[in-house]
Amino acid sequence: MRTTVGIIGAGPAGLLLARLLHNAGIASVVLESRDRAYVEHRQRAGILEQGTVDVLRAAGAGERMDREGLRHDGIELRYAGKRHRVDFPALTGGRSVMVYAQTEVCKDLIALQLKEGGPLLFEAEALAVEGADTPSPRVRFRHEGVEDVLECDYVVGCDGFWGVAREAVPAPVSRTFERTYPFGWLGILADVPPSHDELVYAHHDRGFALLSMRSPSVSRLYLQVPEGADAEAWSDDDIWAELERRFETADGWRLERGPITQKSVTPMRSYVHEPMRHGRLFLAGDAAHIVPPTGAKGLNLAVGDVVTFARALTYEKETGSAELLDAYSATCLSRVWQAERFSYDMTTLLHRAPDATPFEDRLQLARLERLASSRAAETDLAEGYTGFPFG
């Protein structure tokens, strides 16, 4: 097989890249190791930044999102029994976010790719990227029990931290930056309408909690738990009781309970791989960077990467200049590190470290009081949450 761009991974990044390239008249082939059902049902992020929403609409993938997604114009911070709302449009010149699950983004993009785009091969396991530093890189893959080779002009690795793309960057030219947090998130899906119409981020001396949602009838909630905690060790009643404690407010607000349909524990990490390009191999999304979920940045960072690549390749096609392709890594990393900073700030603001001292506890409360009393501090949070500009 031969194509212009070989895309490894059919998550939202790989699928959106294929769509952007199709719209620019550039051929691609997408290789995905899992089957279609798995891709369309794996639970991941659910918050889309303003820039991501705009890109999906411009790509022709926004119709169902606009019909079924939930626009949010702010978030609520809770601490010491208090409630404070951060008004995004008022602080950012009209920007907001959209609650629309990654699973739904993937369904929309898969349908478009199968209807209008180039080949999308499910259960096609990428085995290796070869010749990344040559004019003709190749992806060896296995599909339907047969090994094959995809010859490309460029390869984009959207295959996550454990994929083969990142492994193809030689160790001598790689630098990695990492932080592991001493806690995780116990996340649940529950068949109950959300108890608040916007996301609630709660700081509590027992640990962080987040109230989110997937739809008007399905709630998504999280609890800070110790690193390595077992989700099955928590009974449903214990989870609801702990959520109620952490969301408690002085005005008597109540959390509605419902049947829990799914629960799992997510570890918390920050990770960056530099550079994000080696020869004609480009890394995107979790293949290059991971953020703790507190700042809702993971999916949106991946979108920023593929938008940057698609613009750069389109520019080369139209002008013959590789200037933007050569700048890909630096352009993406500028945005990545701002998102890493924002996610770190949100994580350390709201979570209680296991070894936190009374002095550090008071500092967290002082930071939250600053957000509640300073428009400048609020604006910085709102600008970060609604998204940094793409490239």
Side-chain angles (χ1 to χ4, degrees):
M1 295 180 67
R2 174 156 187 85
T3 192
T4 303
V5 181
I7 301 171
I8 308 175
L15 292 165
L16 178 58
L17 177 57
R19 180 65 182 174
L20 295 173
L21 295 175
H22 169 77
N23 289 348
I26 299 171
S28 71
V29 173
V30 183
L31 305 176
E32 168 55 47
S33 63
R34 302 283 192 162
D35 62 25
R36 180 177 179 178
Y38 179 88
V39 174
E40 292 187 338
H41 291 90
R42 55 184 165 192
Q43 292 292 331
R44 293 289 189 274
I47 305 296
L48 308 183
E49 295 174 355
Q50 182 71 64
T52 297
V53 170
D54 294 343
V55 166
L56 289 170
R57 287 173 178 157
E63 181 182 351
R64 192 164 70 95
M65 174 190 70
D66 285 330
R67 187 172 67 249
E68 299 179 10
L70 306 174
R71 172 180 163 140
H72 280 206
D73 287 336
I75 58 173
E76 183 172 286
L77 301 176
R78 293 191 183 178
Y79 61 97
K82 302 176 183 179
R83 304 169 65 177
H84 177 75
R85 181 176 185 267
V86 180
D87 186 331
F88 292 156
L91 296 163
T92 63
R95 296 171 69 82
S96 63
V97 297
M98 181 81 76
V99 175
Y100 191 62
Q102 175 176 314
T103 51
E104 306 310 308
V105 174
C106 287
K107 289 174 187 176
D108 296 342
L109 290 169
I110 286 171
L112 283 171
Q113 184 71 8
L114 294 177
K115 180 181 179 182
E116 303 174 5
L120 166 54
L121 304 182
F122 291 105
E123 299 180 86
E125 179 187 7
L127 304 173
V129 178
E130 300 171 341
D133 54 354
T134 73
S136 301
R138 300 152 42 101
V139 182
R140 284 197 299 107
F141 68 98
R142 182 185 297 112
H143 184 232
E144 297 180 345
V146 177
E147 286 199 19
D148 202 345
V149 173
L150 177 62
E151 298 180 351
C152 322
D153 295 328
Y154 304 94
V155 175
V156 181
C158 305
D159 52 343
F161 181 80
W162 301 106
V164 300
R166 187 174 59 87
E167 296 175 354
V169 181
V173 303
S174 298
R175 294 186 68 196
T176 59
F177 306 84
E178 187 170 11
R179 179 186 178 92
T180 301
Y181 297 86
F183 41 74
W185 277 12
L186 170 61
I188 65 167
L189 277 175
D191 286 338
V192 60
S195 299
H196 194 61
D197 56 2
E198 293 179 334
L199 272 70
V200 177
Y201 287 77
H203 170 277
H204 194 277
D205 58 10
R206 295 175 63 90
F208 168 74
L210 171 63
L211 185 158
S212 183
M213 64 279 297
R214 283 294 176 264
S215 74
S217 61
V218 177
S219 293
R220 182 76 159 151
L221 301 107
Y222 299 92
L223 283 171
Q224 176 187 344
V225 293
E227 181 183 17
D230 179 8
E232 297 306 318
W234 287 73
S235 71
D236 291 4
D237 285 343
D238 287 343
I239 291 171
W240 286 117
E242 189 62 28
L243 286 166
E244 287 170 349
R245 277 191 287 266
R246 298 190 194 183
F247 285 124
E248 186 177 10
T249 61
D251 62 5
W253 178 91
R254 288 190 58 196
L255 177 70
E256 296 298 327
R257 296 189 179 198
I260 294 175
T261 59
Q262 185 184 113
K263 55 185 174 182
S264 61
V265 173
T266 301
M268 305 282 280
R269 296 179 60 207
S270 299
Y271 173 86
V272 180
H273 180 283
E274 295 185 2
M276 289 176 59
R277 175 193 179 181
H278 175 64
R280 289 182 170 237
L281 168 64
F282 297 76
L283 304 181
D286 286 1
H289 42 73
I290 296 170
V291 290
T294 325
K297 290 281 157 266
L299 181 155
N300 296 290
L301 272 183
V303 168
D305 295 342
V306 299
V307 166
T308 300
F309 177 81
R311 287 176 178 170
L313 190 57
T314 301
Y315 183 76
E316 184 193 47
K317 176 186 175 185
E318 293 174 348
T319 69
S321 170
E323 177 185 0
L324 297 186
L325 284 171
D326 291 341
Y328 171 81
S329 184
T331 301
C332 290
L333 285 170
S334 175
R335 189 170 187 271
V336 165
W337 277 110
Q338 286 302 317
E340 292 283 355
R341 173 197 63 80
F342 177 78
S343 298
Y344 173 83
D345 286 350
M346 287 285 284
T347 300
T348 57
L349 171 70
L350 294 163
H351 294 73
R352 190 173 193 278
D355 59 351
T357 65
F359 178 82
E360 290 166 326
D361 291 339
R362 289 287 184 161
L363 281 182
Q364 282 184 310
L365 290 174
R367 291 168 66 190
L368 286 159
E369 289 286 4
R370 173 68 176 169
L371 281 166
S373 61
S374 166
R375 185 176 178 88
E378 269 194 306
T379 299
D380 185 61
L381 187 153
E383 288 179 345
Y385 200 97
T386 56
F388 303 104
F390 292 152

